[in-house]
Amino acid sequence: MGVVAALGLWAAGAAGLPDNAFPRVVAATLVTAVGGSVELSGDAGDLARTHAGIAVMPLSVTLVGALVVAAGFLRPLRHRAVAGARELAGWAARIAVLWLLALIGLALGARQTFAIDLGNGVLGAIGGLFGAAPEVGFAAQVPLTVVFGLLWLAGVLVLALLVAPGAPLPPRLLRWRESVRPAAYAMVALVLACVAVGLVVALVTAATRGRPAEHFAVILLGLPNVVWPVFAIGLGATWDGRVDGPFGLPMPRLLDEVLRTPDVSTLNLRTLAEHDGRVWWLVVVDAVLLLGAAFLMAARSPAGTPAWRHALRMAVALVLTVLTICAVGRISAHYGLSLLGIGDVGGNLSGELLLRPRFGGALGLAALWGLVTGFLGALPAHRSRHRAIRPSA
């Protein structure tokens, strides 16, 4: 996780931050990646005020961390069908102790203060006259970081047991393996497939449109922050968002056009299609991905499971997946400076980035898509099994 975060921040230009702040920014990125809390603060003297806030998870770092932690947890348990609850808890506790120490170290190291340069113009002259020396900083909140970081770890370990085909389960939970594990595996495969498609598009864009360092920064820090909401939009979901100010990392041109407006914009298939009609291909891509996930789920389920049951399981699994995407994909970031109580100073000293989902519509559409694709995806899985059985008969 540290390597991915450091490379992403380096590509974004964070290595040039003053006061050797780069390691502390890396620590803050890791804290937010595991659900921890980083609080922004500002001070500009008696006659000025700074304000800033951020709520975003760098999901590329989160995803890499989840895969590595899950692999480390499952490695000593491979090639076994059953494991007692005490044994699993023991392995989880060993990881949790090391994880707790890492969280505390990261939270204590994730703190820094920066001075804001007002420039040599009128604003700088006023600031110098009244002694307004704006500063902005960040500091991780240790208790919240520890609590949410441990909850993140628990979620990763439970999901690893649910998803991995060879992972052992306690005897009491074996009866749930045939119904839960295929659906969980299919959903993880689905979100990873979305990231893979997004990675190919991002690499092609970086190679053809210039600014490769900034594109690699997005890939290493926040690729799922883009592709997972886009996947939800392809299902018909609606997000509200706004971009204002010089947020440096590039986003797809189409998203920037829709979101960079004076007011909060509506982000869905219709509004995107007004700028580029090719957006409707998202529906086709989502349908292919969902049918593939449904087929995978049915192929891993016990033979003889009726198609309607596959449809119900697919619907429940997709609703939970879209709910997770909506929860972790929200973004809220703003910063600004007011002097002498007169509004926000423009230019490079203020900005806002907002992205939030409309949960109700997104979850309802996910249920509908899950029912349809779950039923359709189960049909070829049943046919392939019948073909495989006939020769042996």
Side-chain angles (χ1 to χ4, degrees):
M1 290 179 73
V3 172
V4 173
L7 289 175
L9 291 169
W10 173 79
L17 290 172
D19 302 326
N20 296 319
F22 184 69
R24 299 178 183 87
V25 175
V26 173
T29 302
L30 293 175
V31 166
T32 57
V34 298
S37 177
V38 174
E39 188 176 56
L40 302 183
S41 60
D43 181 24
D46 296 332
L47 299 177
R49 180 178 64 87
T50 59
H51 58 89
I54 185 170
V56 59
M57 292 181 69
L59 291 178
S60 291
V61 182
T62 303
L63 180 60
V64 170
L67 294 175
V68 172
V69 170
F73 174 60
L74 294 175
R75 182 172 178 79
L77 300 172
R78 66 191 187 281
H79 307 312
R80 298 174 56 184
V82 180
R86 286 188 178 181
E87 182 182 3
L88 293 176
W91 284 109
R94 293 184 182 95
I95 295 176
V97 170
L98 298 176
W99 189 252
L100 176 62
L101 296 176
L103 286 174
I104 294 174
L106 288 172
L108 292 176
R111 54 191 67 237
Q112 181 71 32
T113 301
F114 302 97
I116 300 177
D117 185 10
L118 296 178
N120 297 321
V122 176
L123 182 61
I126 295 176
L129 178 63
F130 291 101
E135 293 180 339
V136 69
F138 62 86
Q141 297 178 313
V142 178
L144 289 178
T145 296
V146 169
V147 171
F148 287 114
L150 289 176
L151 289 175
W152 180 89
L153 176 65
V156 169
L157 299 185
V158 170
L159 187 60
L161 289 174
L162 290 176
V163 171
L169 291 173
R172 293 183 179 180
L173 299 180
L174 289 177
R175 64 191 181 98
W176 297 102
R177 180 173 57 186
E178 294 181 347
S179 59
V180 175
R181 181 166 284 175
Y185 183 89
M187 290 302 101
V188 171
L190 173 66
V191 296
L192 291 179
C194 290
V195 173
V197 172
L199 178 60
V200 172
V201 173
L203 291 175
V204 172
T205 303
T208 57
R209 296 190 180 179
R211 299 191 302 169
E214 293 183 354
H215 285 90
F216 276 106
V218 173
I219 292 172
L220 293 169
L221 292 175
L223 182 61
N225 294 83
V226 176
V227 297
W228 288 345
V230 168
F231 166 76
I233 290 172
L235 300 180
T238 297
W239 294 62
D240 296 316
R242 182 170 184 258
V243 176
D244 179 39
F247 284 93
L249 294 182
M251 67 173 65
R253 176 189 56 81
L254 180 59
L255 293 180
D256 188 74
E257 289 179 357
V258 175
L259 294 177
R260 199 171 287 277
T261 56
D263 300 318
V264 175
S265 301
T266 299
L267 195 64
N268 55 31
L269 286 170
R270 180 183 57 79
T271 58
L272 292 174
E274 291 175 356
H275 295 262
D276 192 335
R278 292 174 296 179
V279 165
W280 293 108
W281 282 102
L282 284 176
V283 180
V284 178
V285 174
D286 278 13
V288 171
L289 291 174
L290 288 173
L291 288 172
F295 176 84
L296 183 62
M297 182 189 72
R300 289 178 169 270
S301 298
T305 304
W308 66 265
R309 186 166 293 174
H310 287 303
L312 288 177
R313 291 174 181 174
M314 182 72 178
V316 172
L318 187 58
V319 166
L320 293 175
T321 300
V322 171
L323 176 62
T324 303
I325 289 174
C326 291
V328 302
R330 292 178 297 174
I331 298 175
S332 176
H334 68 274
Y335 63 93
L337 169 68
S338 61
L339 192 62
L340 300 177
I342 305 176
D344 277 347
V345 177
N348 291 331
L349 298 178
S350 65
E352 181 182 17
L353 178 61
L354 173 68
L355 188 65
R356 61 192 180 207
R358 297 183 186 178
F359 281 92
L363 299 183
L365 288 166
L368 180 60
W369 275 89
L371 288 172
V372 174
T373 57
F375 185 87
L376 295 177
L379 299 180
H382 288 168
R383 290 173 188 160
S384 63
R385 277 181 172 167
H386 289 314
R387 290 172 186 165
I389 292 173
R390 277 177 193 166
S392 61

